Amino acid sequence: MTRRSIGIIVNGVTGRMGYRQHLVRSLLAIRESGGVTMADGTTIWPEPVLVGRNETKLRELAERHGLTDWTTDLTSALAREDVEIYFDAQVTQQREKAIRRAIEAGKHIYTEKPLAEDTAAALDLARAADAAGLRTGVVQDKLFLPGLRKLKRLIDGGFFGRILSVRGEFGYWVFEGDWQPAQRPSWNYRAEDGGGITSDMFPHWHYVLEELFGRVNAVSCVTATHVPERVDEDGRTYAATADDAAYAVFELDGGIIAQINSSWGVRVYRDELVEFQVDGVEGSAVAGLRTCRVQHRAVTPKPVWNPDLPATEDFRAQWAEVPDNEEFDNGFKVQWEAYLRHVVAGEPFRWDFLAGARGVQLAELGLRSAREGRRVEVPELRR
Ligand SMILES: NC(=O)c1ccc[n+]([C@@H]2O[C@H](COP(=O)([O-])OP(=O)(O)OC[C@H]3O[C@@H](n4cnc5c(N)ncnc54)[C@H](O)[C@@H]3O)[C@@H](O)[C@H]2O)c1
């Protein structure tokens, strides 16, 4: 069997996403499963080149996984001929300039979302990469979650009939960092460092809504900074200048109304950290990260409003579980495999920089809607 090695810079590998999801759960997991097999039987074998700012952390991380290829010098890594892909999981603010360097170096590029901090920059990156003939990709991991795959299956199978609305509930309590350490990095809560839940989550909601339901035509959004002060990784109190909650309504093709709450200031009384309820004329579904439950119109109960009586029905028990019917691998890994096939074998891959720019655009327009207190239409972005 022929093995096709491919050098991949993993920049920001010491971060939460860079390490856990991209290095360990994707690239190393791909190696553990024998590489990515292409149609002609050749296997693509990722060779990660770990890039970061802190030598000690990089060395320790590399040794933990028996890796030897690491550097704090991005320029020299980009100059290497055996490196064909640049991957970016740095803090968002560092992304644009690093990607520009990768474009200049002629590398194919895969990146965490959001692609850039604003739409103009994201679109410019998409155009520059296109002009250089590079193959690009942006992480859209939620599409590969078992719960959303099952939801997609229901949509494709016509389960809902006409879809009316989508209700998304996302978030959990992120500790302030005083008496218990915060479970997310402090830059997320500082606008000046590229933080904010709208720019973090709307790129996700954009691809989820468009891939499953239809184009997003308009957004109305209210944002808040519910927790104004937090404590960082070094125990210093800082002003939380970024939004930590966004309450949005999205108007989609076909008259579908999607409402999504995103919040780091909410306690979970749900089955999963994100859930989408979809109501259609023929049936409804509630999809989370892993599970998906349905209720068909034929078995829909007929509740009658009477606050004088205790609830007589166990509403949750009236839903049926959608079976897996297939094996679901880690979503980040599945998308990496598709991207590697795209780069090496030219297989189609639609989650490119332009798709990423559309996600950035929705975040930007959501923030504008909140700032100006009005509904904002979403214009088409073109290459
Ligand atoms: N796809 C998803 O579900 C998902 C989830 C969380 C975060 N993300 C994205 O991944 C990226 C990284 O987020 P994270 O949560 O892993 O963050 P993190 O703070 O854990 O990691 C950030 C990485 O960037 C590096 N870095 C480079 N320059 C830096 C600088 N000047 N200041 C601080 N750090 C710098 C850090 O060393 C670290 O390796 C963000 O763009 C974020 O939007 C995506």
Side-chain angles (χ1 to χ4, degrees):
M1 194 165 47
T2 324
R3 181 186 272 191
R4 161 80 159 81
S5 291
I6 185 160
I8 304 171
I9 290 173
V10 185
N11 196 9
V13 71
T14 59
R16 279 188 328 145
M17 300 310 293
Y19 177 64
R20 185 90 222 129
Q21 294 304 335
H22 294 287
L23 182 69
V24 177
R25 302 280 284 132
S26 296
L27 296 173
L28 296 183
I30 287 172
R31 284 158 58 121
E32 272 159 32
S33 59
V36 180
T37 309
M38 295 192 290
D40 67 358
T42 310
T43 52
I44 308 170
W45 188 255
E47 291 285 3
V49 180
L50 314 183
V51 176
R53 299 169 301 162
N54 184 320
E55 215 177 293
T56 315
K57 279 193 197 166
L58 280 175
R59 180 182 298 113
E60 191 274 324
L61 190 157
E63 280 171 3
R64 198 183 316 151
H65 295 283
L67 300 169
T68 50
D69 207 346
W70 58 266
T71 177
T72 54
D73 182 5
L74 178 60
T75 309
S76 68
L78 283 171
R80 281 171 52 171
E81 294 221 333
D82 61 334
V83 168
E84 293 173 62
I85 295 173
Y86 171 80
F87 171 68
D88 193 297
Q90 296 186 96
V91 290
T92 306
Q93 238 176 18
Q94 298 298 319
R95 182 158 301 135
E96 183 192 339
K97 64 173 186 263
I99 289 182
R100 283 194 194 283
R101 291 172 67 188
I103 293 174
E104 276 163 29
K107 306 300 177 194
H108 300 297
I109 303 160
Y110 188 47
T111 180
E112 257 300 348
K113 47 49 65 180
L115 172 57
E117 286 194 282
D118 60 68
T119 314
L123 200 53
D124 194 55
L125 291 179
R127 288 176 178 150
D130 271 359
L134 304 172
R135 294 186 171 165
T136 63
V138 178
V139 171
Q140 303 201 344
D141 53 290
K142 308 290 178 276
L143 293 178
F144 304 92
L145 289 168
L148 293 196
R149 304 290 300 170
K150 288 183 243 182
L151 182 56
K152 176 86 167 77
R153 197 198 288 155
L154 292 172
I155 295 169
D156 293 347
F159 172 78
F160 295 101
R162 184 164 63 85
I163 294 177
L164 311 174
S165 64
V166 181
R167 264 154 245 261
E169 199 59 60
F170 166 81
Y172 46 91
W173 189 262
V174 175
F175 280 85
E176 300 91 317
D178 46 1
W179 65 290
Q180 290 191 55
Q183 69 271 45
R184 290 176 55 84
S186 62
W187 66 267
N188 283 191
Y189 303 90
R190 291 189 295 267
E192 61 277 22
D193 291 337
I197 199 165
T198 308
S199 47
D200 190 353
M201 296 316 296
F202 279 31
H204 289 298
W205 306 152
H206 179 263
Y207 64 72
V208 167
L209 292 173
E210 294 218 340
E211 291 249 348
L212 269 65
F213 305 105
R215 183 176 189 278
V216 180
N217 297 315
V219 55
S220 308
C221 178
V222 175
T223 61
T225 304
H226 289 306
V227 178
E229 208 173 73
R230 291 178 175 271
V231 176
D232 72 10
E233 292 79 0
D234 301 318
R236 281 188 299 253
T237 301
Y238 65 95
T241 47
D243 48 307
D244 59 13
Y247 307 92
V249 176
F250 305 96
E251 295 166 47
L252 314 189
D253 272 357
I256 299 172
I257 307 296
Q259 237 179 302
I260 305 183
N261 294 326
S262 316
S263 177
W264 300 131
V266 65
R267 295 187 175 86
V268 179
Y269 189 70
R270 279 172 249 137
D271 294 327
E272 306 211 47
L273 297 187
V274 65
E275 278 182 357
F276 296 95
Q277 171 160 345
V278 181
D279 288 295
V281 174
E282 300 291 328
S284 297
V286 178
L289 301 171
R290 307 199 66 82
T291 61
C292 185
R293 295 188 178 85
V294 289
Q295 185 169 91
H296 191 260
R297 94 194 275 241
V299 294
T300 303
K302 192 189 280 184
V304 177
W305 178 256
N306 186 350
D308 297 327
L309 294 178
T312 51
E313 298 189 67
D314 181 356
F315 291 111
R316 284 178 186 267
Q318 294 163 346
W319 294 66
E321 178 104 21
V322 177
D324 283 358
N325 288 0
E326 62 185 291
E327 275 199 24
F328 297 103
D329 205 346
N330 176 288
F332 290 89
K333 175 170 175 256
V334 174
Q335 202 186 352
W336 260 108
E337 289 170 344
Y339 179 70
L340 290 173
R341 286 200 191 91
H342 174 57
V343 168
V344 176
E347 287 187 17
F349 185 88
R350 63 178 179 282
W351 309 290
D352 61 3
F353 275 9
L354 187 65
R358 292 194 171 111
V360 174
Q361 180 197 34
L362 189 64
E364 190 172 286
L365 297 180
L367 287 169
R368 184 190 297 170
S369 163
R371 210 170 40 245
E372 299 178 4
R374 67 182 180 93
R375 169 183 179 275
V376 175
E377 291 196 354
V378 181
E380 185 71 56
L381 275 194
R382 292 183 204 288
R383 285 215 136 73

